[in-house]
């Protein structure tokens, strides 16, 4: 569905009607089989790119109905982020925008505009709160709503740089690198997802909505965990370790005859096991490697010995030798390897859905499973403007003449199939 800023003002009024219907009230359902926790929850999604859509996608997987609002004629920026494309859509857009069903009454409002932009058109939290005090209003920004950087646009790579993530990512003797996926965006999406769930629970207790301030910088700094604590407590600066770990040896990737294998030994017993699997018994009684502290001190010498041994055999051989030994280990897979892994397939991490132009496609499935209900059936995100006429006519009650005027004026647009 595609609404202009003018039309969005009307949507804020509609959010106040029947807010909270379908939410759990403390009374048990008559039929508890496969009751989804967010069934009946309506979400107005004004987000684009990744952090916001990732949050609302996860909410949709739990049964929420999501109104995806996009710019008329253009849509979410990621619709054009390709190649690759599936039909007319980029695979980037398809990967995070499933289950975007339109609805008229909203419980949650999610946006990721620069602070002040929505307030300028009457859609800030204060504006929405006046007409829909039940609304859980989640604002996702780059740096927060106040402060010296609040007006900057938020991009994953920039936030990853400022937050220190890039400084600790990359080879030990090389340049900082960006993680292979937008981890700062994804972490922020998960924080927003959890915060919205908390907001819904809070509303069940108080009957009132609230404002959630979620941003890329805060999310990533929080995710620095022990690296940040090491600095704050002991002024120990973080550094790049490549695939290795600053405090555990060995715990890194090793090159094999035909690939790479990650092996970790988090305690002395595991180190002994690694030495036995590698047929390096002389290392077990070597005084330089008796404890993890000593192994960290003598890291370079030990890793040189282990690396030479790993290169003597193929990855498949090492996988067989480590099987059942109790040591954490695994190959560095490419995408083909990932989706051929028996455990990945067993965990149901490939989700199929039918797309109106691309046919049957596959995307990564939900990461979490629940015992009492199944995740919502995968539905492809709508085509640009696919549901505009339906929502205006059948849900909002506009007549054909009014809809025609809105379309002609460019306030909304629709897909040609409508």
């Amino acid at each position: 569905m595609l609404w202009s800023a003018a039309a969005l003002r009307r949507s804020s009024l509609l959010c106040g009607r029947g807010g909270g219907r379908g939410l759990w009230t403390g009374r048990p359902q008559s039929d508890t089989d496969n009751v989804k926790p967010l069934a009946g929850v309506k979400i107005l999604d004004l987000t684009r790119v990744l952090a916001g859509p990732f949050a609302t996608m996860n909410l949709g997987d739990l049964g929420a109905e999501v109104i995806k609002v996009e710019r008329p004629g253009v849509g979410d920026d990621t619709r054009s982020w390709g190649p690759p494309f599936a039909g007319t859509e980029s695979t980037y857009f398809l990967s995070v925008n499933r289950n975007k069903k339109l609805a008229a009454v909203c419980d949650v409002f999610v946006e990721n505009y620069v602070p002040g932009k929505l307030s300028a058109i009457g859609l800030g939290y204060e504006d929405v709160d006046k007409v829909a005090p039940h609304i859980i209003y989640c604002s996702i920004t780059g740096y927060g709503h106040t402060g010296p950087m609040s007006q900057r646009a938020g991009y994953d790579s920039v936030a990853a740089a400022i937050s220190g993530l890039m400084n600790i990512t990359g080879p030990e003797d090389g340049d900082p690198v960006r993680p292979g996926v937008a981890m700062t965006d994804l972490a922020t999406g998960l924080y927003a997802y959890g915060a919205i769930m908390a907001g819904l629970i809070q509303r069940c207790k108080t009957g009132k909505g609230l404002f959630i301030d979620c941003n890329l910088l805060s999310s990533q700094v929080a995710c620095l965990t022990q690296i940040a604590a090491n600095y704050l407590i002991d002024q120990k600066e973080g550094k790049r370790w490549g695939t290795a770990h600053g405090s555990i040896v060995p715990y890194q990737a090793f090159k094999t005859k035909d690939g790479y294998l990650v092996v970790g030994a988090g305690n002395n017993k595991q180190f002994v096991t690694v030495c036995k699997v590698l047929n390096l018994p002389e290392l077990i009684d070597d005084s330089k490697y008796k404890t993890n502290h000593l192994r960290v001190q003598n890291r370079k010498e030990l890793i040189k010995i282990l690396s030479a041994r790993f290169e003597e055999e193929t990855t498949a051989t090492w996988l067989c030798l480590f099987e059942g030994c109790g040591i954490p280990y695994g190959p560095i897979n490419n995408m083909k390897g990932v989706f051929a892994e028996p455990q990945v397939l067993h965990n149901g991490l490939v989700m199929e859905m039918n797309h109106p132009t691309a046919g049957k496609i596959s995307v990564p499935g939900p990461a979490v499973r629940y015992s009492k209900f199944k995740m919502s059936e995968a539905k492809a995100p709508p085509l640009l403007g696919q549901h505009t006429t339906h929502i205006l006519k059948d849900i909002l009650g506009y007549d054909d003449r009014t809809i025609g005027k809105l379309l002609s004026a460019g306030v909304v647009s629709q897909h040609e199939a409508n």
Side-chain angles (χ1 to χ4, degrees):
M1 182 174 179
L2 306 170
W3 288 8
S4 70
L8 287 175
R9 296 191 189 95
R10 285 193 289 277
S11 75
S12 69
L13 297 174
L14 295 164
C15 288
R17 298 179 187 170
R21 291 187 300 178
L23 287 177
W24 182 69
T25 60
R27 296 185 297 275
Q29 299 274 352
S30 58
D31 179 8
T32 58
D33 291 339
N34 205 29
V35 174
K36 296 176 178 61
L38 297 187
V41 173
K42 314 295 193 298
I43 297 174
L44 180 59
D45 180 9
L46 273 68
T47 67
R48 57 212 185 279
V49 187
L50 185 56
F54 189 63
T56 58
M57 180 191 75
N58 279 283
L59 295 167
D61 285 340
L62 296 180
E65 294 180 293
V66 183
I67 304 173
K68 174 75 171 179
V69 180
E70 305 178 60
R71 286 185 295 168
V74 179
D76 190 309
D77 299 16
T78 60
R79 284 186 184 268
S80 62
W81 283 12
F85 291 90
T88 59
E89 307 288 0
S90 75
T91 55
Y92 192 113
F93 176 80
L94 292 170
S95 70
V96 292
N97 285 287
R98 65 177 179 263
N99 295 323
K100 303 295 187 182
K101 184 182 177 185
L102 304 177
V105 179
C106 296
D107 301 284
V108 180
F109 185 110
V110 192
E111 58 89 9
N112 63 349
Y113 286 80
V114 173
K117 201 156 192 176
L118 288 185
S119 294
I121 61 171
L123 276 175
Y125 173 65
E126 295 78 9
D127 306 298
V128 175
D129 183 53
K130 291 176 183 177
V131 296
H134 68 281
I135 280 286
I136 310 300
Y137 191 117
C138 181
S139 178
I140 301 173
T141 61
Y143 306 97
H145 275 257
T146 59
M149 297 171 65
S150 61
Q151 292 302 302
R152 292 192 191 180
Y155 280 77
D156 172 89
S157 290
V158 179
I162 296 172
S163 68
L165 176 62
M166 280 193 186
N167 189 58
I168 58 173
T169 305
E172 183 177 0
D173 56 352
D175 296 330
V177 301
R178 173 186 177 275
V181 294
M183 289 307 304
T184 302
D185 270 347
L186 294 171
T188 305
L190 290 174
Y191 270 114
Y193 165 67
I196 290 167
M197 298 286 278
L200 290 168
I201 294 173
Q202 176 78 350
R203 190 177 71 185
C204 284
K205 295 180 177 181
T206 67
K208 297 179 180 179
L210 76 166
F211 177 78
I212 296 169
D213 181 355
C214 194
N215 67 80
L216 303 183
L217 179 63
S218 296
S219 297
Q220 188 55 68
V221 170
C223 286
L224 293 177
T225 57
Q226 88 277 6
I227 304 298
N230 288 344
Y231 175 76
L232 294 172
I233 295 170
D234 199 32
Q235 285 71 58
K236 182 179 179 181
E237 184 59 74
K239 60 174 291 186
R240 293 182 289 282
W241 286 102
T243 65
H245 194 288
S247 304
I248 304 172
V249 175
Y251 186 7
Q252 65 180 72
F254 292 94
K255 188 175 182 180
T256 68
K257 187 178 286 188
D258 62 350
Y260 292 88
L261 187 76
V262 174
V263 174
N267 56 51
N268 297 332
K269 183 178 179 181
Q270 289 185 340
F271 177 68
V272 170
T273 302
V274 169
C275 293
K276 290 179 178 178
V277 172
L278 295 179
N279 194 24
L280 294 172
E282 65 274 15
L283 297 181
I284 296 174
D285 297 320
D286 194 315
S287 60
K288 297 192 295 294
Y289 312 129
K290 276 291 185 179
T291 67
N292 181 69
H293 181 68
L294 290 169
R295 292 191 290 274
V296 170
Q297 286 184 336
N298 297 288
R299 175 194 300 268
K300 289 186 178 181
E301 180 182 345
L302 176 58
I303 295 303
K304 184 178 180 180
I305 296 170
L306 298 179
S307 295
R309 178 70 181 104
F310 273 108
E311 286 197 68
E312 294 177 2
E313 305 290 350
T314 66
T315 298
T317 298
W318 287 123
L319 292 175
C320 289
L321 291 171
F322 275 101
E323 179 67 29
C325 72
I327 298 300
Y329 70 96
I332 295 183
N333 284 326
N334 58 16
M335 289 302 101
K336 182 178 180 180
V338 170
F339 294 106
E341 277 284 355
Q343 193 65 46
V344 170
L345 299 174
H346 173 81
N347 288 357
L349 294 174
V350 178
M351 177 179 284
E352 291 186 342
M353 57 188 181
N354 292 314
H355 188 271
T357 61
K360 182 174 285 188
I361 60 174
S362 297
V363 295
V368 180
R369 294 291 185 269
Y370 303 86
S371 65
K372 298 297 183 181
F373 67 92
K374 295 181 180 179
M375 303 297 269
S376 294
E377 180 184 354
K379 298 177 182 177
L383 296 174
L384 195 59
Q386 181 178 340
H387 297 121
T388 299
T389 299
H390 164 70
I391 195 72
L392 291 174
K393 186 174 183 178
D394 298 340
I395 305 300
L396 304 183
Y398 288 102
D399 57 36
D400 291 338
R401 181 180 178 185
T402 302
I403 294 173
K405 288 182 177 179
L406 292 173
L407 291 169
S408 298
V411 174
V412 298
S413 63
Q414 67 174 350
H415 186 259
E416 291 181 1
N418 288 347

